[in-house]
Amino acid sequence: MDIPEFFDRYEWGFETVEEGIWRSAFADEQDDEFDLYLAVGEDWLHFAVTPLTPAPTPACSAKLASLLLQLNRSVRLVRFATDSDGDVSLLADLPMAELTFALFAATMDALIHYTRELAGPLSRAATDPRFEMSAP
């Protein structure tokens, strides 16, 4: 698959970080900017919007983790994940053997939609122990 060609068809800017890894960026309505990475694995194309939120404060960490688990039940094509440092990412994986432009575009649409819809409230949930957000 020619991932740069998919980006071009999607009319989306990108840069090649190294062979098999691409980086792009986009903003939400509040002009917060997010990095989007794509990496070709042996059998999968991996997508990551990272970091999605600031690192959670100790007082918010457990509540944020619970909220992300709840959200993972309602989002489609994507999932939320945290790493060992507590950084939150929005991830997706597509099988290389069945990769089509339509699936690539749907995944990009989902990543952008959920980032724009949820990054702001999740950032508040990560840093403000008084903030309440309920998962859809």
Side-chain angles (χ1 to χ4, degrees):
M1 290 296 134
D2 187 356
I3 302 307
E5 181 181 313
F6 281 2
F7 272 120
D8 289 342
R9 274 184 74 187
Y10 194 72
E11 298 180 354
W12 197 266
F14 68 95
E15 66 181 358
T16 301
V17 176
E18 61 184 64
E19 186 176 340
I21 300 175
W22 300 270
R23 180 192 166 282
S24 187
F26 62 97
D28 64 10
E29 286 75 24
Q30 292 75 38
D31 288 329
D32 292 327
E33 192 167 297
F34 298 91
D35 290 326
L36 169 66
Y37 293 92
L38 276 73
V40 172
E42 191 170 314
D43 297 318
W44 296 89
L45 177 61
H46 306 284
F47 297 72
V49 176
T50 189
L52 187 67
T53 70
T57 64
C60 297
S61 186
K63 185 166 76 170
L64 179 63
S66 176
L67 182 58
L68 294 173
L69 288 172
Q70 291 173 25
L71 285 168
N72 275 343
R73 292 193 304 247
S74 62
V75 294
R76 300 291 176 250
L77 289 176
V78 301
R79 69 188 179 287
F80 294 94
T82 58
D83 64 17
S84 59
D85 296 327
D87 293 328
V88 175
S89 299
L90 185 59
L91 307 175
D93 302 294
L94 298 177
M96 291 297 294
E98 298 176 27
L99 186 61
T100 63
F101 174 73
L103 191 52
F104 173 90
T107 303
M108 290 286 291
D109 290 347
L111 289 163
I112 294 163
H113 167 76
Y114 289 121
T115 297
R116 289 181 172 160
E117 180 179 311
L118 297 171
L122 286 173
S123 293
R124 286 198 57 203
T127 57
D128 181 356
R130 296 177 310 276
F131 180 72
E132 292 296 324
M133 177 184 169
S134 57

